[in-house]
Amino acid sequence: FLTPGIVLGLLGLLGYALAMPQVTIGRATLDVHTLLFASLAILLAIVGIHAAMTYAVAGRTREFGVRLALGAHPAALIRSTLTQSGRIGLIGAALGIAGTLAIARLLGDAWYLVPGKHSGLLFEVTTTDPTVLTVSFVGVIVVAIAAATMPARRVGSVDPVSALRSE
Protein backbone atom coordinates (compact mmCIF):
# COMPACT_ATOMS: atom_id res chain seq x y z
CA PHE A 1 0.00 0.00 0.00
CA LEU A 2 3.02 2.26 0.21
CA THR A 3 3.68 3.80 -3.16
CA PRO A 4 7.02 5.42 -3.97
CA GLY A 5 5.36 8.83 -3.78
CA ILE A 6 4.11 8.20 -0.22
CA VAL A 7 7.51 6.93 0.87
CA LEU A 8 9.26 9.97 -0.62
CA GLY A 9 6.73 12.26 1.00
CA LEU A 10 7.27 10.65 4.41
CA LEU A 11 11.04 10.87 4.00
CA GLY A 12 10.68 14.53 3.07
CA LEU A 13 8.61 15.19 6.20
CA LEU A 14 11.14 13.34 8.33
CA GLY A 15 13.98 15.38 6.86
CA TYR A 16 12.06 18.60 7.47
CA ALA A 17 11.35 17.61 11.07
CA LEU A 18 15.01 16.74 11.70
CA ALA A 19 16.17 20.02 10.17
CA MET A 20 13.99 22.10 12.49
CA PRO A 21 15.98 23.41 15.45
CA GLN A 22 13.09 23.14 17.88
CA VAL A 23 9.66 21.60 17.54
CA THR A 24 6.93 22.99 19.72
CA ILE A 25 3.83 20.95 20.27
CA GLY A 26 0.90 22.51 22.04
CA ARG A 27 -0.25 20.92 25.24
CA ALA A 28 -3.73 20.40 23.81
CA THR A 29 -2.30 18.44 20.87
CA LEU A 30 -0.24 16.30 23.23
CA ASP A 31 -3.30 15.75 25.44
CA VAL A 32 -5.34 14.57 22.46
CA HIS A 33 -2.60 12.20 21.31
CA THR A 34 -2.17 10.81 24.83
CA LEU A 35 -5.93 10.29 25.10
CA LEU A 36 -6.05 8.53 21.72
CA PHE A 37 -3.20 6.16 22.55
CA ALA A 38 -4.60 5.43 26.02
CA SER A 39 -8.02 4.69 24.51
CA LEU A 40 -6.43 2.40 21.94
CA ALA A 41 -4.53 0.57 24.69
CA ILE A 42 -7.72 0.07 26.71
CA LEU A 43 -9.59 -1.13 23.62
CA LEU A 44 -6.84 -3.64 22.81
CA ALA A 45 -6.85 -4.85 26.41
CA ILE A 46 -10.63 -5.35 26.30
CA VAL A 47 -10.44 -7.27 23.02
CA GLY A 48 -7.58 -9.46 24.26
CA ILE A 49 -9.15 -10.30 27.60
CA HIS A 50 -12.53 -10.89 25.97
CA ALA A 51 -10.96 -13.32 23.48
CA ALA A 52 -9.03 -15.14 26.21
CA MET A 53 -12.11 -15.48 28.42
CA THR A 54 -14.26 -16.61 25.49
CA TYR A 55 -11.68 -19.30 24.73
CA ALA A 56 -11.52 -20.35 28.40
CA VAL A 57 -15.30 -20.53 28.66
CA ALA A 58 -15.57 -22.54 25.43
CA GLY A 59 -13.02 -25.01 26.76
CA ARG A 60 -14.95 -25.47 29.98
CA THR A 61 -18.43 -25.86 28.46
CA ARG A 62 -18.63 -29.51 29.48
CA GLU A 63 -17.60 -28.66 33.05
CA PHE A 64 -20.26 -25.95 33.24
CA GLY A 65 -22.83 -28.39 31.85
CA VAL A 66 -21.96 -30.94 34.54
CA ARG A 67 -22.16 -28.32 37.27
CA LEU A 68 -25.53 -27.08 36.04
CA ALA A 69 -26.81 -30.68 35.78
CA LEU A 70 -25.74 -31.29 39.37
CA GLY A 71 -27.67 -28.25 40.56
CA ALA A 72 -25.24 -25.33 40.45
CA HIS A 73 -26.87 -21.95 40.03
CA PRO A 74 -25.99 -20.06 36.83
CA ALA A 75 -25.17 -16.99 38.96
CA ALA A 76 -22.47 -18.99 40.77
CA LEU A 77 -20.89 -19.96 37.45
CA ILE A 78 -21.04 -16.37 36.23
CA ARG A 79 -19.44 -15.20 39.48
CA SER A 80 -16.72 -17.84 39.09
CA THR A 81 -15.92 -16.69 35.56
CA LEU A 82 -15.82 -13.01 36.56
CA THR A 83 -13.63 -13.88 39.56
CA GLN A 84 -11.21 -15.69 37.25
CA SER A 85 -11.04 -12.63 35.01
CA GLY A 86 -10.58 -10.38 38.05
CA ARG A 87 -7.64 -12.52 39.17
CA ILE A 88 -6.07 -12.20 35.74
CA GLY A 89 -6.57 -8.44 35.94
CA LEU A 90 -5.12 -8.33 39.45
CA ILE A 91 -2.00 -10.21 38.38
CA GLY A 92 -1.62 -8.03 35.29
CA ALA A 93 -2.09 -4.84 37.29
CA ALA A 94 0.43 -5.93 39.93
CA LEU A 95 3.00 -6.81 37.27
CA GLY A 96 2.31 -3.52 35.50
CA ILE A 97 2.81 -1.46 38.66
CA ALA A 98 5.98 -3.38 39.53
CA GLY A 99 7.30 -2.82 36.00
CA THR A 100 6.38 0.85 36.13
CA LEU A 101 8.21 1.37 39.42
CA ALA A 102 11.25 -0.55 38.18
CA ILE A 103 11.46 1.42 34.93
CA ALA A 104 10.83 4.71 36.75
CA ARG A 105 13.70 3.95 39.10
CA LEU A 106 15.94 2.87 36.23
CA LEU A 107 15.27 5.90 34.04
CA GLY A 108 14.98 8.48 36.80
CA ASP A 109 14.75 11.98 35.32
CA ALA A 110 14.93 10.78 31.72
CA TRP A 111 11.11 10.99 31.55
CA TYR A 112 11.18 14.74 31.99
CA LEU A 113 12.05 17.39 29.43
CA VAL A 114 14.16 19.23 31.97
CA PRO A 115 16.03 16.96 34.42
CA GLY A 116 15.14 17.73 38.01
CA LYS A 117 12.06 19.72 37.00
CA HIS A 118 9.02 17.47 37.06
CA SER A 119 7.08 18.89 34.18
CA GLY A 120 6.92 18.33 30.47
CA LEU A 121 5.63 15.12 28.96
CA LEU A 122 4.18 13.87 32.24
CA PHE A 123 2.32 17.12 32.90
CA GLU A 124 3.71 17.77 36.37
CA VAL A 125 3.00 14.22 37.54
CA THR A 126 5.83 12.13 38.91
CA THR A 127 6.36 8.62 37.60
CA THR A 128 5.64 7.19 41.05
CA ASP A 129 2.55 9.28 41.85
CA PRO A 130 0.41 7.09 44.17
CA THR A 131 -2.88 8.48 42.83
CA VAL A 132 -2.02 7.66 39.22
CA LEU A 133 -0.72 4.21 40.15
CA THR A 134 -3.84 3.45 42.22
CA VAL A 135 -6.22 4.60 39.48
CA SER A 136 -4.26 2.55 36.94
CA PHE A 137 -4.29 -0.52 39.19
CA VAL A 138 -8.04 -0.35 39.77
CA GLY A 139 -8.67 0.55 36.12
CA VAL A 140 -6.93 -2.57 34.84
CA ILE A 141 -8.99 -4.78 37.15
CA VAL A 142 -12.25 -3.07 36.13
CA VAL A 143 -11.39 -3.42 32.43
CA ALA A 144 -10.57 -7.12 32.92
CA ILE A 145 -13.90 -7.79 34.63
CA ALA A 146 -15.84 -5.71 32.09
CA ALA A 147 -14.23 -7.57 29.21
CA ALA A 148 -15.33 -10.90 30.69
CA THR A 149 -18.99 -10.01 31.19
CA MET A 150 -20.20 -11.36 27.83
CA PRO A 151 -18.42 -14.72 28.11
CA ALA A 152 -19.61 -14.97 31.72
CA ARG A 153 -23.20 -14.34 30.70
CA ARG A 154 -22.89 -17.14 28.14
CA VAL A 155 -21.86 -19.47 30.96
CA GLY A 156 -25.18 -18.91 32.68
CA SER A 157 -27.13 -19.84 29.57
CA VAL A 158 -25.37 -23.15 28.88
CA ASP A 159 -27.82 -25.99 28.30
CA PRO A 160 -26.56 -28.91 30.44
CA VAL A 161 -27.83 -31.60 28.07
CA SER A 162 -26.29 -30.11 24.93
CA ALA A 163 -23.05 -29.32 26.80
CA LEU A 164 -22.73 -32.95 27.88
CA ARG A 165 -23.49 -34.23 24.38
CA SER A 166 -21.11 -31.85 22.63
CA GLU A 167 -17.94 -33.83 23.37
Side-chain angles (χ1 to χ4, degrees):
F1 296 102
L2 289 176
T3 63
I6 293 175
V7 172
L8 289 175
L10 290 174
L11 289 175
L13 283 174
L14 179 63
Y16 177 74
L18 292 174
M20 293 177 62
Q22 181 181 7
V23 176
T24 37
I25 298 175
R27 184 171 178 160
T29 304
L30 210 47
D31 284 346
V32 168
H33 286 120
T34 302
L35 179 66
L36 287 174
F37 282 116
S39 300
L40 181 64
I42 290 172
L43 180 67
L44 289 173
I46 288 172
V47 169
I49 293 170
H50 174 74
M53 291 307 296
T54 300
Y55 180 77
V57 165
R60 295 175 59 192
T61 302
R62 186 173 175 98
E63 173 194 343
F64 294 136
V66 169
R67 286 183 175 189
L68 286 171
L70 293 176
H73 292 285
L77 298 178
I78 292 171
R79 194 176 321 111
S80 167
T81 305
L82 291 177
T83 301
Q84 179 185 6
S85 178
R87 284 186 192 131
I88 292 170
L90 182 68
I91 292 168
L95 291 174
I97 296 296
T100 298
L101 294 174
I103 290 173
R105 184 176 175 95
L106 180 70
L107 293 178
D109 279 346
W111 286 105
Y112 305 108
L113 292 177
V114 179
K117 183 178 181 212
H118 294 218
S119 64
L121 291 177
L122 292 177
F123 303 121
E124 300 174 8
V125 175
T126 63
T127 53
T128 57
D129 184 18
T131 305
V132 172
L133 294 177
T134 303
V135 168
S136 299
F137 187 82
V138 171
V140 167
I141 296 169
V142 167
V143 165
I145 293 172
T149 54
M150 286 180 63
R153 288 174 65 187
R154 273 188 234 124
V155 166
S157 63
V158 169
D159 179 32
V161 175
S162 63
L164 293 173
R165 287 184 187 164
S166 67
E167 292 184 22

